[in-house]
């Protein structure tokens, strides 16, 4: 068998991307064929952020609502904007607060575009920006 049909890391049979099935599955789970120990949680987070524009957009998985989502361990999912706020502020989010967006871009994780607020603040922000549905279920947008 030629070396091009063998895994780059262990010389088992090739599966995809030059790796065996084990290394390929580790890459899918952790972002590296040798496993998560190669990257810190923070490194794995930033690998999935596109900083090329004014907003820093999450490029990883998304909830059906359009917000970024990631697994923070023990199969617990949380919003990417929440993790972004905690990583950049170096503070935990109090239990009674939400992470809100100044920019209204659900995938944005840039600290300067995020702020903490209550559910009441979130609703008031929505109303002030005209992002609420009218009595017919249609979203109204103010300029």
């Amino acid at each position: 068998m030629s070396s091009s049909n063998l895994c780059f890391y262990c010389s088992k049979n090739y599966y995809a991307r030059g790796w065996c099935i084990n290394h390929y599955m580790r890459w899918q789970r952790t972002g590296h064929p040798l496993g998560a120990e190669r990257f810190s949680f923070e490194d794995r987070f930033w690998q999935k952020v596109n900083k090329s524009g004014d907003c820093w957009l999450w490029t990883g998985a998304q909830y059906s609502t359009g917000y970024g989502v990631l697994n923070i361990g023990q199969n617990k999912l949380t919003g990417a904007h929440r993790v972004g706020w905690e990583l950049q502020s170096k503070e935990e989010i109090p239990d009674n607060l939400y992470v809100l967006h100044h920019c209204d871009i659900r995938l944005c994780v840039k600290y300067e575009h995020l702020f903490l607020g209550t559910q009441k603040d979130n609703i008031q922000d929505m109303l002030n920006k005209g992002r609420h549905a009218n009595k017919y279920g249609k979203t109204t947008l103010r300029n």
Side-chain angles (χ1 to χ4, degrees), residues 118-137:
T118 64
Q119 177 64 14
K120 183 178 178 181
D121 296 331
N122 195 23
I123 292 169
Q124 191 60 53
D125 185 54
M126 172 191 69
L127 293 172
N128 290 343
K129 293 175 179 175
R131 291 184 285 104
H132 57 286
N134 63 22
K135 65 182 177 180
Y136 304 107

Side-chain angles (χ1 to χ4, degrees), residues 21-54:
I21 184 71
N22 293 334
H23 286 108
Y24 179 77
M25 296 305 288
R26 278 189 204 127
W27 169 76
Q28 280 196 314
R29 276 193 323 269
T30 68
H32 194 280
L34 296 179
E37 65 274 8
R38 299 292 175 186
F39 295 107
S40 69
F41 177 79
E42 189 169 351
D43 288 341
R44 288 188 295 126
F45 175 84
W46 290 114
Q47 286 174 355
K48 295 177 181 160
V49 175
N50 177 350
K51 294 182 179 181
S52 64
D54 185 40

